[in-house]
Amino acid sequence: MKLGRLNHIGVATPSIAESIRYYREVMGATKFHEPFDLEAQGVKVCFVDTPDAAGELGKGTQIELIEPLGEDSPIAKFLEKNPAGAQHHVCYEVEDIEDARKWFEEMGKRILGPTRIGAHGTPIFFLHPKDMMGQLTEIMETPKGDAHWSN
Amino acid sequence: MKLGRLNHIGVATPSIAESIRYYREVMGATKFHEPFDLEAQGVKVCFVDTPDAAGELGKGTQIELIEPLGEDSPIAKFLEKNPAGAQHHVCYEVEDIEDARKWFEEMGKRILGPTRIGAHGTPIFFLHPKDMMGQLTEIMETPKGDAHWSN
């Protein structure tokens, strides 16, 4: 498997509305995608664009803001420990999700649940942080075309 | 202030050698810069390249592996709590470091120490995670030319 682009960093937040204010007013971000519920994962999501090396928005690594949807959300406990929010996961792209899944399975890495459709509409899975040097790691198939920027 | 590129994500590790093996053998990274000591910050550092949206190495967001230099290292306690390693900080570029410093100071954000030369040879400072929605945030002046890829 070849390491792909760092698609996004996942940042847990108690409030996407507050985070949007923070990234706009404190960090100077200008491009916010429409927030939406990702019910299968129990989170509300909002992508924020950062520029790439050429200064272009929409191609740089994104910030994925994630807010719990209800008390049973998988990030509810994480936010109890980190009430102001915190870095939550990293997401790298791969060419082919099934090849990547086999790759990690053969190494004995714990995959958290089935491959499913992620926030960018392409298949993803998560790997256990204890098997990934302490980082909750999302693996995402590189979107074909521009579909991934529609949110 | 305008949000610049996500230059790198800082990842604390108990062993850069082990992390290099991990990123090469598990994550499929191919480009590792020479590790070096950043004594002023009490850490040993190694940058790993990830590709950008065009698949080009050297322009995507980097991974900055940081290992403690001695027991007094500022990341020693962080690693006690996260012995396998963990996401440690995020680093965004800005056009002008002094303008950025004033920007954050005027908002009452706590800046951790003086502006100093960071791992890429350009001026940087860190902001307190409690003022930055839970994220230890490094602000770095965009390198002029290609000097930043020399390490």
Side-chain angles (χ1 to χ4, degrees), chain A residues 48-61:
Chain A
V48 184
D49 286 0
T50 73
D52 67 3
E56 204 173 329
L57 286 170
K59 290 193 173 169
T61 294

Side-chain angles (χ1 to χ4, degrees), chain B residues 11-88:
Chain B
V11 176
T13 174
S15 159
I16 282 180
E18 193 188 330
S19 282
I20 289 176
R21 265 197 308 278
Y22 164 81
Y23 279 99
R24 178 177 286 127
E25 293 170 14
V26 178
M27 292 301 294
T30 53
K31 175 69 181 170
F32 299 84
H33 296 256
E34 195 62 39
F36 61 100
D37 293 351
L38 199 61
E39 297 201 8
Q41 295 185 37
V43 290
K44 185 175 174 183
V45 168
C46 175
F47 284 101
V48 184
D49 285 1
T50 72
D52 67 4
E56 204 174 330
L57 286 169
K59 290 192 173 171
T61 294
Q62 290 180 307
I63 302 156
E64 182 188 33
L65 302 171
I66 46 177
E67 177 190 313
L69 266 185
E71 287 169 19
D72 296 336
S73 170
I75 65 160
K77 275 189 187 165
F78 182 83
L79 279 166
E80 269 173 37
K81 286 182 209 154
N82 305 281
Q87 296 183 69
H88 180 262

Side-chain angles (χ1 to χ4, degrees), chain B residues 81-139:
Chain B
K81 286 182 209 154
N82 305 281
Q87 296 183 69
H88 180 262
H89 68 272
V90 288
C91 176
Y92 291 98
E93 294 180 9
V94 295
E95 281 289 307
D96 185 290
I97 199 79
E98 286 311 317
D99 286 355
R101 194 170 173 110
K102 272 180 220 141
W103 168 269
F104 290 111
E105 273 172 355
E106 279 168 13
M107 274 185 284
K109 301 291 179 189
R110 280 166 285 179
I111 299 178
L112 304 169
T115 301
R116 53 199 184 277
I117 297 302
H120 278 317
T122 71
I124 63 110
F125 57 82
F126 282 89
L127 290 149
H128 199 299
K130 288 203 174 153
D131 294 347
M132 306 301 280
M133 295 200 76
Q135 296 166 88
L136 177 60
T137 302
E138 180 179 357
I139 301 294

Side-chain angles (χ1 to χ4, degrees), chain A residues 23-97:
Chain A
Y23 280 99
R24 178 178 286 126
E25 293 171 13
V26 178
M27 292 302 293
T30 54
K31 175 68 181 171
F32 299 84
H33 296 257
E34 195 62 40
F36 61 100
D37 293 352
L38 198 60
E39 296 201 7
Q41 296 184 38
V43 289
K44 185 176 175 183
V45 168
C46 175
F47 284 101
V48 184
D49 286 0
T50 73
D52 67 3
E56 204 173 329
L57 286 170
K59 290 193 173 169
T61 294
Q62 290 181 307
I63 303 155
E64 182 188 32
L65 301 171
I66 46 178
E67 176 190 314
L69 266 185
E71 288 169 18
D72 296 335
S73 170
I75 65 160
K77 275 189 188 165
F78 183 84
L79 279 167
E80 268 173 38
K81 286 182 209 154
N82 304 281
Q87 295 182 72
H88 180 262
H89 68 272
V90 287
C91 176
Y92 291 98
E93 295 181 10
V94 294
E95 281 290 306
D96 185 290
I97 199 80

